Amino acid sequence: MLPTLGASVYKPRHTPWGSWVRDQRKAAKMGKRDLAQACDVDPSLITLIERDGHVPRRPVALRIGEAFGSPELGLVMAGYVPVRFAQTLARLVRRSQ
């Protein structure tokens, strides 16, 4: 059972993801607003990601990775499986059956 507080819905938290986003942003000498604009999201989402490790939906994680020049690494760091990896894994499973 997922933990809930009152009527709120459990949101995944992934601290290494938030740290990775912050470190990549700083290495790129980008402000939070710059990153938010590059990813077409509200700056408050970048703050939530960096502070709490909030994991956004897959398309946003992909755009964040793209902003740093590595879309698939962005997906992996957020805890998603890249599409190419999932397709390869599915082919391997079909072959083994």
Side-chain angles (χ1 to χ4, degrees), residues 34-80:
D34 300 325
L35 178 57
Q37 186 175 17
C39 299
D40 195 30
V41 298
D42 191 88
S44 64
L45 179 60
I46 303 301
T47 298
L48 187 62
I49 290 168
E50 291 184 3
R51 185 189 64 212
D52 295 338
H54 172 75
V55 178
R57 293 179 187 251
R58 185 183 182 99
V60 174
L62 182 64
R63 289 196 307 261
I64 290 171
E66 287 172 349
F68 300 132
S70 185
E72 290 194 350
L73 182 57
L75 289 176
V76 170
M77 292 303 295
Y80 291 105

Side-chain angles (χ1 to χ4, degrees), residues 76-92:
V76 170
M77 292 303 295
Y80 291 105
V81 175
V83 173
R84 284 189 291 171
F85 177 78
Q87 291 169 341
T88 301
L89 184 60
R91 278 194 307 273
L92 291 172

